[in-house]
């Protein structure tokens, strides 16, 4: 072996332990996710696109990323307890699904970066300082309630509609008042009156919807609210029993049995959230990343529910729908 070749071999061989050590010490990202439902199966519609999107960005489970999933089963105390548990695990980032999880995570840690998903009015709720510069250790993806457009679509579906019952959560009165003002302003040119119906907790939907006239001239609208999101199956079940058409803010309500929805594509938000997580894992500060808004809105209609409540959805509207549930 020539001297130059020998020296190259020796230097290269000497560096092998260093390379091996660098590979072994390469950081494995630790991501915590605080969901809202009780199992991974119930969250599959959101869990799968979130993890798939992170995988496409190079985070492969078992190689360079581990996940700590927590499922609070929509119980307020479990949100708080599980957020506190995640805060103690020395995670690189915490992802939250729905408002209750986001506020619980913020209360649990001021140091671990947080990326929230599906929060209505994070500024008004005190979650962030502003959308452009959220501040602290938090950023995320907010949802925007497009109540005027939803009201217009409901009237287009049922031209004889003269009244809309707007479900209100009195525990979020300031947010509910803003939504009511938007709906009422949009109702006037459509010759609709708006009737606010307060729902006093998860066990009050039966009573609340029982006071809504079942005259085929009254529709029901819900807005983005943590309790309504959690109780979407109950809302759909009770409304169907009373023969009431429900216009909801997102497709998950329709998949639970509500008649129709128009609003942000929530699955798309979970896919996009992977980008913010990636930026944080590469060193960016969560509080410097602007809160992002939806870019995709979907109209979803459940024709099986329409048959159940004996109301017909125009074929022209079905043709425009992004998804029709049979």
């Amino acid at each position: 072996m020539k001297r130059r070749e020998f020296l190259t071999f020796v230097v290269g061989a000497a560096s092998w332990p260093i390379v091996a050590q660098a590979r072994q010490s390469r950081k494995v990202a630790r991501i915590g996710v605080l969901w809202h439902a009780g199992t991974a199966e119930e969250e599959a519609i959101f869990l799968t696109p979130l993890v798939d999107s992170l995988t496409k960005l190079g985070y492969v489970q078992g190689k360079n990323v581990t996940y700590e999933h927590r499922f609070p089963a929509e119980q307020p105390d479990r949100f708080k307890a599980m957020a506190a548990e995640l805060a103690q695990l020395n995670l690189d980032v915490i992802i939250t699904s729905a408002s209750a999880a986001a506020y619980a995570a913020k209360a649990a840690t001021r140091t671990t970066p947080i990326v929230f998903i599906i929060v209505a009015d994070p500024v008004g709720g005190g979650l962030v300082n502003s959308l452009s510069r959220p501040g602290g250790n938090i950023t995320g993806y907010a949802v925007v309630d497009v109540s005027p457009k939803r009201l217009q679509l409901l009237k287009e579906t049922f031209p004889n509609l003269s009244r809309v019952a707007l479900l209100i959560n009195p525990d979020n009165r300031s947010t509910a008042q803003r939504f009511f003002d938007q709906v009422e302003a949009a109702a006037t040119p459509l010759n609709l009156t708006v009737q606010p119906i307060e729902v006093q907790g998860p066990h009050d939907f039966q009573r609340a919807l029982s006071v809504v006239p079942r005259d085929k001239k009254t529709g029901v609208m819900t807005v983005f609210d943590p309790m309504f999101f959690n109780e979407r199956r109950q809302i759909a079940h009770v409304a169907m029993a009373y023969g009431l058409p429900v216009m909801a803010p997102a497709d998950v309500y329709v998949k639970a049995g509500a008649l129709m929805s128009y609003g942000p594509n929530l699955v798309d938000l979970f896919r996009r959230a992977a980008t913010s997580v990636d930026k944080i894992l590469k060193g960016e500060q969560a509080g410097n990343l602007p809160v992002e808004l939806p870019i995709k809105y979907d109209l979803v209609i459940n024709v099986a529910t329409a048959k159940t409540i004996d109301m017909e959805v125009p074929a022209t509207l079905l043709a425009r729908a992004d998804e029709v549930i049979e």
Side-chain angles (χ1 to χ4, degrees):
M1 181 180 292
K2 296 180 179 180
R3 185 173 183 275
R4 181 177 296 175
E5 293 173 342
F6 175 76
L7 289 175
T8 301
F9 174 81
V10 170
V11 172
S15 68
W16 291 344
I18 299 174
V19 173
Q21 183 179 3
R23 287 175 177 169
Q24 290 175 0
S25 63
R26 182 176 297 168
K27 183 175 176 60
V28 175
R30 302 190 67 208
I31 299 175
V33 191
L34 183 56
W35 297 97
H36 69 88
T39 67
E41 290 73 20
E42 292 176 1
E43 291 286 9
I45 187 175
F46 298 138
L47 192 155
T48 299
L50 174 65
V51 173
D52 285 351
S53 295
L54 282 164
T55 301
K56 290 177 181 177
L57 290 172
Y59 300 96
V60 180
Q61 191 167 2
K63 291 186 178 181
N64 63 348
V65 65
T66 61
Y67 293 97
E68 293 285 347
H69 295 285
R70 295 296 184 272
F71 302 96
E74 303 172 352
Q75 301 299 314
D77 290 341
R78 286 170 62 85
F79 277 114
K80 295 177 183 178
M82 289 181 173
E85 181 181 339
L86 290 174
Q88 298 300 316
L89 294 181
N90 193 30
L91 300 170
D92 295 298
V93 63
I94 296 174
I95 304 169
T96 68
S97 166
S99 295
Y103 287 100
K106 182 178 181 181
T109 177
R110 294 186 178 182
T111 55
T112 304
I114 299 168
V115 176
F116 65 79
I117 312 172
I118 314 181
V119 175
D121 193 18
V123 177
L127 196 62
V128 299
N129 296 330
S130 70
L131 296 182
S132 59
R133 292 190 66 82
N137 60 319
I138 191 165
T139 188
Y141 292 75
V143 289
V144 179
D145 188 81
V146 285
S147 293
K149 178 65 174 180
R150 295 195 293 120
L151 193 67
Q152 178 185 337
L153 287 167
L154 188 60
K155 177 68 173 181
E156 184 178 345
T157 306
F158 306 112
N160 293 329
L161 212 67
S162 60
R163 184 188 301 107
V164 171
L166 182 67
L167 299 186
I168 297 293
N169 180 0
D171 290 338
N172 293 327
R173 194 171 297 279
S174 60
T175 300
Q177 184 63 50
R178 190 183 73 254
F179 286 140
F180 175 78
D181 292 342
Q182 291 177 354
V183 173
E184 189 174 46
T188 301
L190 296 173
N191 294 319
L192 293 171
T193 59
V194 182
Q195 176 186 3
I197 303 289
E198 290 195 351
V199 183
Q200 306 288 339
H203 305 294
D204 193 39
F205 287 100
Q206 192 84 32
R207 180 213 56 85
L209 289 172
S210 71
V211 304
V212 179
R214 307 172 209 177
D215 54 8
K216 303 295 183 182
K217 294 183 179 181
T218 305
V220 176
M221 279 184 58
T222 64
V223 297
F224 274 112
D225 182 274
M227 181 180 71
F228 297 159
F229 186 88
N230 291 344
E231 300 298 329
R232 59 193 181 279
R233 294 177 184 84
Q234 184 184 177
I235 294 173
H237 177 77
V238 175
M240 275 195 286
Y242 288 149
L244 297 171
V246 175
M247 166 60 89
D251 63 346
V252 290
Y253 292 77
V254 182
K255 292 172 181 177
L259 175 64
M260 61 194 301
S261 68
Y262 178 77
N265 185 304
L266 301 184
V267 170
D268 184 59
L269 293 181
F270 279 85
R271 291 195 186 103
R272 291 170 57 201
T275 302
S276 293
V277 173
D278 178 47
K279 290 178 180 179
I280 290 169
L281 292 174
K282 289 178 177 176
E284 295 199 39
Q285 298 297 311
N288 294 336
L289 297 175
V291 173
E292 298 200 31
L293 299 176
I295 56 176
K296 189 176 188 299
Y297 290 80
D298 290 338
L299 171 63
V300 182
I301 301 171
N302 191 322
V303 294
T305 297
K307 293 177 183 177
T308 299
I309 65 175
D310 192 29
M311 298 186 81
E312 185 175 353
V313 178
T316 53
L317 200 66
L318 291 174
R320 288 162 47 197
D322 296 279
E323 183 178 358
V324 176
I325 299 173
E326 303 287 346

